[in-house]
Amino acid sequence: MTGVYGGEAYGAECGPAKLTGRIVRPEDPGYTDARLGWHQLFSHYPLVIVFAQNTQDVVNALTWARQNDVALRIRSGRHSLEGWSNVDSGLVTDISELKSVHIDSASRIATVGAGLNQLEAVTTLAKQNFAVTLVDAITGHLEHYAAAGQHGHVFVGPQGGPLRRSNFRGSRRGRMRASRPSCTSTT
């Protein structure tokens, strides 16, 4: 089944997507632990949970969800107080296993994986005599992501405009509003 995005058929040019990474389904022994978040008031039962091992696993999951018209949620630390990172009968892409650190000592730049929590990142950087201060983090965000000017927004939407509720929530059918992923490998 090919999903529809913006009036155009999506998926035909990519071919059928295949889920990759560590896949957990309801019939698997670890499903109950895999589906639960920190706040158990919001208990959901996803159709499948993909624990991404690399960026391509995330692209494949996104493509699969769109091609199969399945609701999609992304989660990392399982600390969504409102339960937004989980969904019934949909696909949860968990990026918590994307834990990597690359430190370029010459340029003093560290690149960390999306799955690292703050303690893991700070501890790893400290072992290499690197430290991230709040001032550095805020300055970096403002320089790279915020809109320009005294009255520019600190957090902007995908097109550079103000954030809207739709930037964070899916449509009624659960599809996330985001740009299309590429079919090509990003290894």
Side-chain angles (χ1 to χ4, degrees):
M1 177 174 173
T2 301
V4 176
Y5 181 84
E8 299 175 15
Y10 176 70
E13 69 275 10
C14 295
K18 180 176 169 47
L19 294 176
T20 57
R22 186 166 67 88
I23 312 299
V24 180
R25 297 185 186 273
E27 61 272 11
D28 295 335
Y31 177 77
T32 299
D33 289 335
R35 74 175 183 81
L36 291 174
W38 171 79
H39 196 319
Q40 294 183 14
L41 175 65
F42 301 102
S43 182
H44 294 282
Y45 296 86
L47 174 68
V48 62
I49 304 164
V50 172
F51 286 90
Q53 306 300 299
N54 56 51
T55 304
Q56 191 61 46
D57 295 341
V58 176
V59 172
N60 293 346
L62 225 132
T63 304
W64 185 90
R66 287 202 173 151
Q67 287 180 353
N68 291 283
D69 198 25
V70 172
L72 170 73
R73 298 296 185 270
I74 306 291
R75 90 174 169 206
S76 180
R78 300 189 195 197
H79 281 89
S80 173
L81 294 178
E82 296 83 11
W84 290 350
S85 61
N86 213 337
V87 64
D88 286 320
S89 302
L91 184 143
V92 172
T93 303
D94 190 302
I95 60 169
S96 65
E97 295 180 6
L98 293 176
K99 296 180 184 284
S100 62
V101 177
H102 173 74
I103 299 173
D104 182 342
S105 298
S107 65
R108 302 198 47 81
I109 294 176
T111 306
V112 298
L116 250 61
N117 65 37
Q118 184 177 6
L119 178 62
E120 293 166 331
V122 169
T123 302
T124 303
L125 294 173
K127 288 178 184 175
Q128 299 291 321
N129 293 323
F130 279 81
V132 177
T133 66
L134 187 55
V135 172
D136 292 340
I138 292 171
T139 301
H141 175 84
L142 292 174
E143 289 174 357
H144 293 98
Y145 300 106
Q150 181 178 2
H151 299 289
H153 294 282
V154 175
F155 300 101
V156 296
Q159 312 290 303
L163 286 177
R164 306 212 184 289
R165 182 175 294 204
S166 62
N167 294 124
F168 299 99
R169 303 184 108 177
S171 67
R172 294 177 123 193
R173 292 173 46 166
R175 287 180 288 192
M176 298 303 290
R177 301 172 199 273
S179 60
R180 289 192 242 185
S182 169
C183 297
T184 59
S185 174
T186 57
T187 54

